[in-house]
Amino acid sequence: MRSYNPDLTPPWKKSAPVPEVPADRDLVVEEVGTGFCGAVIRCEAGTVTLEDRFGKHRVFPLEPRGFLLEGKVVTLVRPASGPARPTRTASGSVAVPGARARVARAGRIYVEGRHDAELVERVWGDDLRIEGVVVEYLEGVDDLPAIVAEFGPAPDARLGVLVDHLVPGSKESRIAAQVTSPDVLVVGHPYIDVWEAVKPSSLGIPAWPTVPRGQDWKTGVCRALGWPDHTGAAWQHILSRVTSYKDLEPALLGRVEELIDFVTAP
């Protein structure tokens, strides 16, 4: 004989059903228990990761009635078709799905070293390929005037240069002042090394350490932070924590955007 288990819960105590909403990337919701509000950046089995407007990340379980969407209670569920296609590139530009890389322009962007080039590629790579801009590194700026002369900048072949530690009175500023072509734009950031352009919060450290003058800066940073004296491995760790422009300081962001605009101007 089939058993019968009636639901004796009074109607006024029953929870009203709530809609199930796919946790698509960039969907902005609020977690009901903590009030944490942010955009979905990742949805995995059983959890969703939100990022608030300050760049802070929190992971929450996908529990029923666990979130507010536009002030209404919803149940977030994992998107049925897998991760949603990003609507923005790492630089914050609108993504263009399926766009092909443009044939390389005659113009170029030069940066000081390999780490600078890798960081620019990490954040602006999609934009640069669509615009056909090639980034090359110089291994320092001591010979910048000669390098610019050899490049032969022209209105249809502009050159943009990103310099580390470009502050008044520095060696870099004196070298940059020797480049006067209207088809060359030399800009820079105030940091001793491009490592410092990565926000400390993205690395889980309170601040970049101060390294005494006369000591190799990168080695000093590794020692101060308790990292092995292997600057190559340290850089790979730093680079791995950069997922978008939000992980970089504005002093670098503005300069790279300025260079891209300069070399791609009609």
Side-chain angles (χ1 to χ4, degrees):
M1 182 176 179
R2 186 165 57 186
S3 62
Y4 175 58
N5 296 310
D7 184 359
L8 301 178
T9 306
W12 60 86
K13 289 189 177 181
K14 292 182 180 180
S15 298
V18 300
E20 292 187 346
V21 177
D24 292 327
R25 188 178 180 89
D26 294 332
L27 178 73
V28 178
V29 294
E30 177 182 341
E31 202 275 330
V32 295
T34 62
F36 186 90
C37 183
V40 174
I41 61 170
R42 188 180 305 109
C43 186
E44 300 170 328
T47 66
V48 62
T49 304
L50 304 182
E51 179 183 66
D52 70 7
R53 61 192 181 93
F54 301 107
K56 183 178 181 180
H57 293 184
R58 290 281 298 274
V59 180
F60 298 101
L62 290 175
E63 295 182 342
R65 308 174 64 87
F67 299 87
L68 296 176
L69 176 61
E70 298 180 350
K72 298 181 180 179
V73 178
V74 298
T75 296
L76 286 188
V77 296
R78 193 175 185 185
S81 57
R85 179 173 291 173
T87 58
R88 297 274 176 180
T89 67
S91 71
S93 301
V94 176
V96 184
R100 293 185 177 182
R102 176 175 175 166
V103 175
R105 296 173 182 266
R108 291 287 188 274
I109 291 177
Y110 285 170
V111 297
E112 281 207 48
R114 181 171 59 85
H115 293 180
D116 305 67
E118 290 176 345
L119 188 61
V120 169
E121 163 62 26
R122 184 86 168 188
V123 176
W124 289 274
D126 290 339
D127 308 61
L128 293 169
R129 280 182 283 278
I130 290 175
E131 294 290 350
V133 178
V134 175
V135 175
E136 300 179 6
Y137 62 91
L138 305 171
E139 291 292 3
V141 295
D142 290 351
D143 298 322
L144 182 60
I147 292 170
V148 170
E150 182 179 359
F151 179 83
D156 60 346
R158 291 182 169 186
L159 179 61
V161 183
L162 180 69
V163 178
D164 296 343
H165 200 224
L166 192 63
V167 296
S170 68
K171 177 193 74 173
E172 291 81 3
S173 67
R174 292 192 294 272
I175 293 173
Q178 300 175 40
V179 179
T180 58
S181 169
D183 299 312
V184 179
L185 176 64
V186 181
V187 299
H189 55 74
Y191 309 112
I192 295 174
D193 190 274
V194 78
W195 286 21
E196 277 192 295
V198 178
K199 290 181 178 178
S201 58
S202 297
L203 298 170
I205 60 176
W208 285 102
T210 299
V211 178
R213 290 177 62 87
Q215 182 178 349
D216 179 72
W217 188 83
K218 291 177 181 176
T219 302
V221 165
C222 290
R223 290 174 180 171
L225 294 176
W227 296 350
D229 283 0
H230 190 316
T231 58
W235 169 244
Q236 290 306 313
H237 168 68
I238 294 167
L239 188 63
S240 71
R241 303 302 294 270
V242 176
T243 59
S244 79
Y245 71 97
K246 297 178 183 179
D247 296 306
L248 302 182
E249 298 287 0
L252 176 67
L253 292 174
R255 302 296 75 74
V256 176
E257 297 285 354
E258 191 176 353
L259 290 177
I260 294 174
D261 289 344
F262 179 78
V263 301
T264 59

